[in-house]
Amino acid sequence: MRDDTAYTDADDDGGDDGEVWSDVLATQDLVALDGVVPKGGGPSVHDRIGGVSLGRPLAYALEDPGCRRASADRDREFLVCFPFDLEELPDGRHYEQVTLIIDLAEGLYALSLDPAPGTVAADGTEISVFGLGRQRLRWTFRAPGRGGVLRPDGRWAQAVVRMPASSTAVTGRISLSATTVQPVLGGTLLRRAAETRCETPFRMRAADMWTAVTPLARPGTLPAAWALAPYEYEMPKSDEWEPDDEEMPPGFRRLCLAVDIEKYSTRDNANMVWLQRVLLRTLRTACERAGVVWERCGRQAQGDGYLLVLEPGVEEARVVPGLLAALTAGLAAANARASATKSVAGKESSGRKPGSVRMRASLHQGIVHEADSGYAGSAVVALFRVLDSGPVRRILAESPDYDLVTAFSDTLYQDLVDTGYEGLSAVGFEKVEIEIAAKNFAAIAWVRAMRSVAEG
């Protein structure tokens, strides 16, 4: 059922010679693995039980500002995003689990994977990941809890891929498998496993890729999601390799900021690209205005969100209000530009523009470890639990005139806001209780809708 066809550097996947460009790379049937043997014998028949639309991969060239040699003389790195949408299932059926598999061509391998291993999405989807430092990458999305439903649309995965100097394109093959569930008589569930009929090849020429808006920092200041660099050539190749013998990375008390874009998965591809650009530019500018050195912070991209682990020793009473003021100003400016652009194009409409960006933010402090594929520690877990919680989402939804809603952990609120530091008035904060029984998590947070001073 597998097609071993793969692109070579001489191949082209469209876009030239007058061919119409499409955001869709391919549509594939999902065929059941439990085939039926026809009467009278013969090969098994595998029926179609669903489908998937594979988006054309998006790629950005990542340039190291400290290296000016020609690309032909050195390895290069690319951020590659793989979007896909599953077909809606009829008759009460739904997806319970989906696995996206990317087989990179010989010589290519992943320096980072996003979503990262152990990620829990805002809707409760649990994501397991495999392939760091390898050619074969795999993301498995599991429905939350027992009997949960996996949302079929707006799925994506991305990786930072290293390409050898001898190559001119990022190439590989995409396949997908899924488990569907259907209720039957008696309250039981019928599970069926399926996979795409064949692997879909893709090819992206390095010469055609966009350059990332912001170049990567030097390896010494890379985020933990890219922490593979110091030992990437020393990783054992055996499948029996056990990492448990490695020394525990040190833990330091750090101030953490996490942000997430509202309704990101409902946007089209072009809007997602724009939103990620706004997110990164706004964060970098906010750090600059607040006196935070970007290169000294731990950074972990989340696609529609971002984790910033501030350097030790920052003056929190000054930095926190500076960051929040700059974030709200940056969002207001981005939305004003988007609104002006749409008005000039004659596409203005009532209410907020479809291209506008609103965010949730969460602040917390605690012990953080720099692990192999992301930042680890109960403080980071609590930070994202609060960020993705129902009360924080509710307050943003109930504040249509505000671009940012910020949640402080209870301890940070008591340290900064409740003591009356300048720029951190307690006015407007709402105390909320957050409880996620399935995760055995409970916390108190203080939430406030915010906008820039220029907006009034």
Side-chain angles (χ1 to χ4, degrees):
M1 198 175 292
R2 288 284 180 252
D3 179 1
D4 292 332
T5 302
Y7 280 117
T8 66
D9 285 349
D11 296 324
D12 196 351
D13 65 349
D16 296 330
D17 301 326
E19 184 177 344
V20 178
W21 180 265
S22 171
D23 285 338
V24 177
L25 176 67
T27 56
Q28 286 268 17
D29 291 336
L30 288 169
V31 295
L33 298 182
D34 52 345
V36 178
V37 178
K39 291 182 179 180
S44 299
V45 177
H46 299 269
D47 60 316
R48 181 185 187 278
I49 62 173
V52 59
S53 174
L54 300 173
R56 189 174 296 276
L58 306 173
Y60 301 86
L62 303 176
E63 296 292 346
D64 182 349
C67 183
R68 300 301 180 189
R69 288 179 294 164
S71 60
D73 300 327
R74 62 182 176 90
D75 293 352
R76 299 183 63 188
E77 295 171 9
F78 301 90
L79 176 63
V80 186
C81 180
F82 303 94
F84 66 96
D85 290 297
L86 297 164
E87 179 183 295
E88 293 277 359
L89 298 178
D91 306 325
R93 291 187 292 138
H94 64 265
Y95 296 97
E96 183 180 62
Q97 177 174 301
V98 172
T99 298
L100 176 71
I101 301 172
I102 308 296
D103 282 302
L104 299 172
E106 185 71 27
L108 305 177
Y109 60 93
L111 292 179
S112 79
L113 302 171
D114 185 29
T119 297
V120 178
D123 61 359
T125 301
E126 298 178 351
I127 307 170
S128 60
V129 183
F130 173 83
L132 193 62
R134 305 192 182 195
Q135 292 176 238
R136 187 175 177 84
L137 318 179
R138 184 179 69 227
W139 288 265
T140 298
F141 303 81
R142 295 185 181 89
R146 183 177 178 85
V149 176
L150 190 67
R151 190 190 72 243
D153 62 322
R155 296 289 171 189
W156 58 270
Q158 65 184 26
V160 172
V161 175
R162 174 161 288 180
M163 183 184 78
S166 58
S167 299
T168 60
V170 174
T171 64
R173 295 171 295 178
I174 305 174
S175 58
L176 189 138
S177 63
T179 301
T180 65
V181 174
Q182 181 177 15
V184 294
L185 294 177
T188 59
L189 299 175
L190 174 63
R191 287 182 173 84
R192 302 189 70 188
E195 65 180 5
T196 48
R197 293 184 184 274
C198 61
E199 295 175 313
T200 300
F202 65 89
R203 179 177 187 269
M204 294 165 288
R205 294 179 299 189
D208 295 336
M209 293 183 193
W210 296 344
T211 300
V213 175
T214 304
L216 290 179
R218 290 183 176 275
T221 56
L222 287 177
W226 299 331
L228 182 66
Y231 57 88
E232 60 192 17
Y233 295 111
E234 301 174 6
M235 286 186 65
K237 295 182 179 180
S238 172
D239 292 336
E240 299 178 355
W241 172 64
E242 292 291 341
D244 296 340
D245 294 335
E246 292 195 354
E247 183 179 354
M248 176 77 170
F252 299 96
R253 183 167 295 277
R254 308 286 288 272
L255 176 64
C256 302
L257 167 69
V259 296
D260 188 87
I261 299 173
E262 181 192 44
K263 297 180 179 179
Y264 177 83
S265 63
T266 64
R267 312 299 183 98
D268 59 32
N269 287 359
N271 210 234
M272 287 183 181
V273 171
W274 178 76
L275 287 169
Q276 289 197 22
R277 289 174 177 170
V278 170
L279 171 66
L280 188 57
R281 288 170 177 170
T282 302
L283 275 175
R284 286 183 64 94
T285 302
C287 285
E288 181 179 352
R289 292 181 179 179
V292 174
V293 181
W294 178 261
E295 289 76 11
R296 293 179 183 173
C297 294
R299 307 185 304 281
Q300 185 171 312
Q302 303 288 123
D304 59 343
Y306 213 88
L307 169 63
L308 199 64
V309 181
L310 277 67
E311 62 177 313
V314 297
E315 186 183 349
E316 296 176 1
R318 175 187 60 82
V319 165
V320 169
L323 278 174
L324 296 180
L327 278 176
T328 52
L331 290 173
N335 285 327
R337 287 193 297 269
S339 179
T341 300
K342 292 179 182 298
S343 296
V344 170
K347 298 180 181 179
E348 54 190 353
S349 60
S350 60
R352 299 189 64 86
K353 303 298 184 295
S356 63
V357 53
R358 304 175 75 213
M359 291 183 189
R360 305 186 311 280
S362 179
L363 284 155
H364 188 33
Q365 59 184 347
I367 301 298
V368 177
H369 297 269
E370 190 174 3
D372 293 351
S373 59
Y375 286 93
S378 58
V380 176
V381 173
L383 182 78
F384 280 99
R385 292 275 192 266
V386 171
L387 181 70
D388 295 332
S389 67
V392 177
R393 290 174 176 273
R394 171 184 59 79
I395 292 174
L396 181 59
E398 294 175 353
S399 309
D401 296 328
Y402 293 78
D403 296 320
L404 179 70
V405 162
T406 303
F408 283 69
S409 66
D410 187 45
T411 55
L412 192 63
Y413 179 88
Q414 304 301 333
D415 286 345
L416 295 180
V417 182
D418 206 33
T419 49
Y421 284 108
E422 183 179 356
L424 288 171
S425 169
V427 176
F429 275 94
E430 177 182 342
K431 181 180 179 181
V432 299
E433 295 183 0
I434 298 170
E435 184 173 355
I436 308 174
K439 302 296 181 181
N440 195 28
F441 177 81
I444 292 174
W446 297 82
V447 188
R448 179 186 174 192
M450 307 182 70
R451 57 183 171 186
S452 69
V453 175
E455 291 182 289

